[in-house]
Amino acid sequence: MKQILHKYKPGAILEIGSFLGFSTRWLLEVTKSWSPKVTAIDPNIRHRVFDNPRGFVEKLNSDFHPGRLEIITGFFGHYDDNIYFDYEHYEPVQEREYVNGLVKDRVTIDKSWERKFDFIFIDGDHTYKSVMNNFETAIGILNDRGSINFHDALSWSGVNNALEDIKDRYQEKAEVCIYGDIDRMLLKRLRGNNDGIGFFRLLS
C-alpha cells in the first residue's frame, strides 16, 4: 500500500474502520513527505473487549490530531445486527436497548456526503455484505483518478469475493487487482495472520 500511496500522492485520504488507530498512524507517517489530510471514520462501539476505540485513536495519533487528522464517530453506509455481537459475547454484557442508545448518537455517512477523497481505505467489517456496502458508498465520494483500497484482500474470503464481483461488474471500466504474495499468505493464514491489499481505480 505504501507503493500505491507514493505513486499517486493523494491529497485527501479516507480510512473506513480505524479501530484502535494503528493503520491511521501508519497512513499519517508514510505520507509525511507531502502531508495529506487523513479522515478516519469509525462508529466507536465495542469491538472485542474495547469499549472506546476512539480514545486509543486519539492518544496514538495525538501528534497529528486535529491538524492532519480528522476523526469522525459514525457509520459508513448502513449497519446491521453485527453491532450487537460483542456486547452480547464480552463482559460486561449489555442489552440491545443500551447499544441502540449508542447508535442514535452516531452519524451515518452515505453517497450524499459532500466530501471527495483521492484515496479510500476500506478496513471495516470484513463480511462480503459489509465490504460491498462500504464500496458502494465509497465510489460515490471518490475523486476522479482516485482509488479505493481494501485490507485483508487475500486472507478474508468476504473481501476477496467482493473484489471478484467488483472486477466482474466493472470489467474494462476499472483496474481491479489484489497485491500480495499468495504463497506467503497461505503460510500466514495457518499462523492466524492477515494479508493482501485490494485495489480499485476507474479508468479514464
Side-chain angles (χ1 to χ4, degrees):
M1 194 158 71
K2 179 180 179 181
Q3 292 176 348
I4 298 170
L5 286 162
H6 280 256
K7 178 179 180 179
Y8 295 106
K9 289 186 168 54
I13 296 173
L14 174 66
E15 179 188 31
I16 301 163
S18 56
F19 187 31
L20 300 178
F22 296 113
S23 294
T24 312
R25 180 61 180 258
W26 184 87
L27 286 167
L28 290 159
E29 292 285 358
V30 82
T31 59
K32 269 186 174 180
S33 61
W34 70 94
S35 298
K37 180 86 172 187
V38 175
T39 300
I41 298 177
D42 193 278
N44 194 35
I45 59 175
R46 182 184 291 174
H47 186 49
R48 303 187 187 120
V49 298
F50 298 95
D51 272 328
N52 180 31
R54 175 166 177 155
F56 288 87
V57 179
E58 291 178 352
K59 289 178 181 178
L60 184 61
N61 296 283
S62 59
D63 292 343
F64 301 95
H65 179 259
R68 282 184 56 206
L69 173 62
E70 173 190 20
I71 303 173
I72 296 176
T73 300
F75 293 96
F76 190 79
H78 62 78
Y79 57 88
D80 53 34
D81 285 351
N82 287 344
I83 62 171
Y84 301 111
F85 184 87
D86 288 346
Y87 288 98
E88 295 174 339
H89 292 83
Y90 291 98
E91 296 292 340
V93 172
Q94 300 287 0
E95 299 293 332
R96 292 197 171 198
E97 183 178 353
Y98 170 84
V99 182
N100 291 337
L102 294 177
V103 170
K104 285 181 181 178
D105 292 333
R106 301 331 188 225
V107 299
T108 299
I109 291 169
D110 57 27
K111 290 181 180 179
S112 67
W113 199 26
E114 295 182 356
R115 298 278 297 275
K116 294 285 185 179
F117 296 88
D118 306 304
F119 182 98
I120 300 176
F121 180 44
I122 296 178
D123 190 19
D125 190 336
H126 285 15
T127 63
Y128 174 88
K129 181 179 178 181
S130 294
V131 173
M132 292 301 291
N133 171 36
N134 287 165
F135 172 77
E136 295 294 350
T137 305
I139 200 168
I141 59 171
L142 184 67
N143 270 328
D144 293 341
R145 295 180 294 280
S147 69
I148 300 174
N149 303 266
F150 304 77
H151 196 218
D152 300 332
L154 281 172
S155 52
W156 281 76
S157 60
V159 184
N160 192 273
N161 292 338
L163 279 162
E164 288 298 323
D165 284 354
I166 291 168
K167 186 174 184 178
D168 287 343
R169 184 194 308 178
Y170 283 86
Q171 296 185 4
E172 304 301 320
K173 297 179 181 178
E175 178 184 359
V176 184
C177 54
I178 296 175
Y179 296 108
D181 187 325
I182 294 177
D183 293 333
R184 186 163 57 89
M185 180 278 297
L186 291 173
L187 291 174
K188 282 189 171 185
R189 183 181 290 178
L190 294 175
R191 299 171 189 160
N193 294 319
N194 305 318
D195 204 1
I197 293 295
F199 178 83
F200 171 93
R201 185 171 181 264
L202 286 169
L203 300 174
S204 54

